Amino acid sequence: MDKIYRVNMSSLQCSVEPVPTPWAGLGGRALTSAIVAKEVPPTCHALGENNKLVFAPGMLSGTTAVNSGRLSAGAKSPLTGTIKESNAGGTAAQVLARLGVKALIIEGIPKGDGWYGLHVNSDGVTIVEETELIGKGNFAVIEALEKRLGKTGVLTIGPAGEMKMLAANISVRDIDGKLRSHGRGGLGAVMGSKRIKFIALDGEGTTAVSLADSAKFTQAARTFAQAIMNHPGTGQGLPTYGTAEMVNIVNAAGGLPTRNFLHGQYHDNEKISGETLRETIIERGGNPSHGCQSGCVIKCSQVFVDKKGKYVTSGLEYETIEILGANAMIGDLDVIAEADHLMDDIGIDSIETSVAIGVAMDGGVLPFGDGQGVLRLLREDLRAGTPLGRTIGSGAGNVGKLYGVTRVPVVKNQAIPAYDPRAIKGIGITYATSTMGADHTAGYAVATNLMGVGGGVVDPLKKDGQVELSRHLQIATVMLDSLGLCLFIGFPSADDPTCVPAIVDMLNARFGLELTPEWFGGLGITTLKTERAFNQAAGFTSEHDRLPEFFREPLAPSGAVWDFTGDEIDQFWNF
């Protein structure tokens, strides 16, 4: 990956640039955060001309390494005001990597009211005016572009991105012509502010990226794949039940948010469990184990079909199932799947939007459990951009302010996902200290707190070891995000002594380097400090690394409370 593609939407000009030396050893999140930190003024308006949208494949993307097709997108977030990196599966990372594109940087805002598409190929980027697809949902965009251009990589925004809703996603075409998402933080609104409806990636004629030592890479890649398949989480649990396996696990731990985080257990948990999801999919002829990217061997995704066998959604994740199923008390997988489909098509984050719906229910907008009301809200309000739709689409924090709700589960204005931090304290530290607002993927302490991943025991109900656990996981997650690897590679990385050396060997064989595992830690630390420095320059302080005060209230039925002091939380940054 030896070039930077830069697109200036103010002048409608594109350029191809060499990779600056400081960026040569970076990829994925490490690169997007480095570019945003260098080129974006921290105090700029996130939807203004000074913000930039950056895409970067991981350092192993484009190779034959399994589960290496994650793409990072970065910008200043309009939802949180912090730096933001979001990564997604699909086909885009592999195409960009094989085109030799280290990063695609989009800057400026065009004059006038026109909309555009970007066509990316081996020669560079072409900007084209677009009229036909404006106002269309993401599924229609993918279908139309396939007819227009053939099967190509696609990044697209739906109506939510066009309307610059703060929870808008950027969607990515997957290997089946469906969708994956750059979720959280509102990067779809940033793309909408630049009046780009889609980015088409033409990888025709490209092959896997060149390797400095193909024999060494092949051997390391085999060891890496075997470590994934041998781990009980990535080789058995996730392929069998998907991420929804967490419903019963978290419910048993008393940390399943219910009725807008009022309770920690849901009495109808079996209706939305991974076991029930799998049985339903198999019974209807769907696919219970499906990859979000080519080369995926975990296959924690699935294809959910309705009672007539018609496609509804794929990638129905635990967080969406839990937040709508238990937190909004809907408890119906068919309604949840349809809601997920609608959010995919509209291009709105399913975590932020679902939490916002729970807050709205607490504010009297809808009764808890009103699944049909939620579907109407998505179809009629969010898609059309009514005042209520724009309110929900601006996230849980804004819903709470407008409806006078005090139980608003956000950190830095980003919704807390589907784990109550009172009962799973490690993830609470991650929520508090993440540079991007509440984000379970920033340092997934749930795996250690509840599943014993990593070999140690860190009691989820005690404070001991939680800060250190979250710090270690956040540093390690930067490595995964920067290499283009799936988050769940963290499981075998923690438990199988062959996994991390194999990753190091693959990277060395890819580029002809002599890196050690310690290099990864340095990359993680440097990136986290870069992101934090951006946030501090934007006006954030340690006082923003706090959970909402209602988490001091006892959580039923365990009575657990969030009892970390500010000083204890601030110890996270002692590295």
Side-chain angles (χ1 to χ4, degrees):
M1 294 179 287
D2 55 2
K3 54 184 176 280
I4 303 281
Y5 283 177
R6 189 179 295 270
V7 179
N8 188 312
M9 293 304 296
S10 296
S11 63
L12 299 181
Q13 293 181 330
C14 307
S15 61
V16 181
E17 304 173 1
V19 179
T21 299
W23 298 348
L26 305 178
R29 175 178 170 182
L31 182 55
T32 62
S33 289
I35 294 172
V36 171
K38 184 177 189 299
E39 298 194 0
V40 175
T43 57
C44 76
H45 196 297
L47 299 179
E49 65 178 355
N50 291 319
N51 199 7
K52 300 188 181 185
L53 181 61
V54 183
F55 296 96
M59 287 183 275
L60 289 175
S61 297
T63 71
T64 57
V66 299
N67 291 82
S68 63
R70 305 289 293 187
L71 177 69
S72 287
K76 178 177 179 176
S77 165
L79 179 71
T80 65
T82 67
I83 200 168
K84 175 62 189 170
E85 182 269 350
S86 171
N87 69 75
T91 56
Q94 304 286 24
V95 176
L96 280 173
R98 290 170 182 173
L99 285 171
V101 178
K102 194 163 186 75
L104 169 64
I105 303 173
I106 304 171
E107 57 195 19
I109 290 178
K111 299 177 178 65
D113 298 326
W115 283 87
Y116 301 87
L118 303 183
H119 290 204
V120 180
N121 60 27
S122 58
D123 296 323
V125 183
T126 304
I127 303 172
V128 295
E129 290 190 46
E130 179 59 46
T131 56
E132 175 191 349
L133 300 178
I134 307 310
K136 301 289 187 182
N138 282 319
F139 288 105
V141 173
I142 296 290
E143 183 178 351
L145 289 178
E146 186 168 321
K147 291 179 181 178
R148 187 189 299 181
L149 304 172
K151 291 185 177 180
T152 184
V154 176
L155 300 160
T156 174
I157 58 171
E162 293 180 34
M163 290 183 275
K164 294 178 280 192
M165 292 184 184
L166 301 186
N169 281 348
I170 298 171
S171 295
V172 188
R173 182 187 183 275
D174 73 7
I175 54 179
D176 295 328
K178 304 302 182 184
L179 299 175
R180 303 292 151 170
S181 297
H182 284 288
R184 317 306 322 270
L187 296 189
V190 178
M191 188 160 156
S193 74
K194 299 185 182 307
R195 306 193 72 80
I196 296 171
K197 177 64 176 178
F198 68 85
I199 304 170
L201 308 170
D202 180 6
E204 185 176 358
T206 61
T207 58
V209 298
S210 61
L211 304 172
D213 187 334
S214 59
K216 181 178 178 180
F217 188 94
T218 299
Q219 181 57 49
R222 287 173 180 164
T223 301
F224 174 62
Q226 196 61 54
I228 295 171
M229 298 307 297
N230 287 345
H231 193 277
T234 50
Q236 299 171 31
L238 286 166
T240 303
Y241 300 113
T243 58
E245 70 171 337
M246 297 306 298
V247 171
N248 285 341
I249 294 172
V250 180
N251 194 66
L256 197 76
T258 302
R259 199 178 180 90
N260 192 27
F261 284 76
L262 186 62
H263 307 295
Q265 289 185 324
Y266 181 49
H267 64 281
D268 279 335
N269 61 293
E270 289 295 347
K271 291 183 178 180
I272 59 171
S273 70
E275 292 80 355
T276 300
L277 177 64
R278 176 178 173 82
E279 291 170 4
T280 302
I281 291 172
I282 292 174
E283 181 181 298
R284 295 176 179 181
N287 186 352
S289 186
H290 174 269
C292 76
Q293 54 183 289
S294 60
C296 174
V297 295
I298 299 175
K299 298 184 178 180
C300 68
S301 180
Q302 68 293 114
V303 178
F304 187 95
V305 298
D306 65 16
K307 294 176 182 178
K308 296 181 180 179
K310 181 181 178 181
Y311 173 88
V312 179
T313 192
S314 45
L316 188 56
E317 304 290 351
Y318 161 76
E319 287 75 23
T320 306
I321 292 171
E322 194 289 324
I323 299 167
L324 287 177
N327 198 51
M329 303 187 72
I330 291 172
D332 185 324
L333 284 174
D334 282 303
V335 172
I336 296 168
E338 179 61 22
D340 189 61
H341 173 87
L342 290 169
M343 288 186 280
D344 277 349
D345 197 40
I346 296 165
I348 199 82
D349 183 46
S350 63
I351 294 178
E352 189 69 44
T353 305
S354 298
V355 175
I357 287 169
V359 174
M361 288 176 167
D362 217 355
V365 176
L366 288 172
F368 281 99
D370 186 0
Q372 294 305 313
V374 168
L375 297 180
R376 285 195 303 273
L377 188 153
L378 294 172
R379 290 191 186 108
E380 300 173 12
D381 290 293
L382 255 86
R383 185 179 291 276
T386 68
L388 175 58
R390 286 178 178 268
T391 298
I392 299 293
S394 292
N398 291 307
V399 172
K401 290 176 183 177
L402 288 171
Y403 286 95
V405 179
T406 58
R407 184 178 297 275
V408 184
V410 298
V411 178
K412 302 180 182 74
N413 203 45
Q414 182 161 275
I416 290 177
Y419 310 90
D420 196 299
R422 289 169 287 191
I424 312 170
K425 295 188 188 295
I427 201 67
I429 294 295
T430 296
Y431 291 157
T433 58
S434 165
T435 55
M436 304 177 196
D439 181 357
H440 64 294
T441 68
Y444 191 61
V446 176
T448 301
N449 279 170
L450 300 187
M451 303 163 69
V453 171
V457 177
V458 183
D459 190 326
L461 294 172
K462 294 181 179 179
K463 294 195 288 185
D464 298 344
Q466 306 294 358
V467 171
E468 295 79 9
L469 172 64
S470 179
R471 181 193 299 130
H472 169 75
L473 291 172
Q474 289 196 51
I475 291 170
T477 299
V478 172
M479 177 267 288
L480 298 175
D481 293 341
S482 301
L483 295 181
L485 297 177
C486 165
L487 175 69
F488 294 125
I489 302 305
F491 290 12
S493 293
D495 291 334
D496 189 323
T498 69
C499 188
V500 171
I503 295 173
V504 175
D505 287 345
M506 285 193 295
L507 194 61
N508 287 335
R510 163 72 174 92
F511 294 104
L513 303 172
E514 295 182 359
L515 302 176
T516 66
E518 289 71 27
W519 180 85
F520 289 135
L523 178 69
I525 289 170
T526 299
T527 301
L528 288 177
K529 287 185 174 181
T530 297
E531 293 168 351
R532 189 187 188 213
F534 180 96
N535 292 346
Q536 289 173 326
F540 287 85
T541 71
S542 61
E543 292 303 311
H544 293 97
D545 291 350
R546 305 290 185 261
L547 299 189
E549 62 183 11
F550 78 82
F551 285 116
R552 302 283 178 183
E553 302 168 6
L555 175 66
S558 67
V561 298
W562 178 253
D563 52 359
F564 279 89
T565 67
D567 287 343
E568 289 170 332
I569 295 171
D570 293 343
Q571 295 305 307
F572 174 88
W573 289 105
N574 288 344
F575 60 86

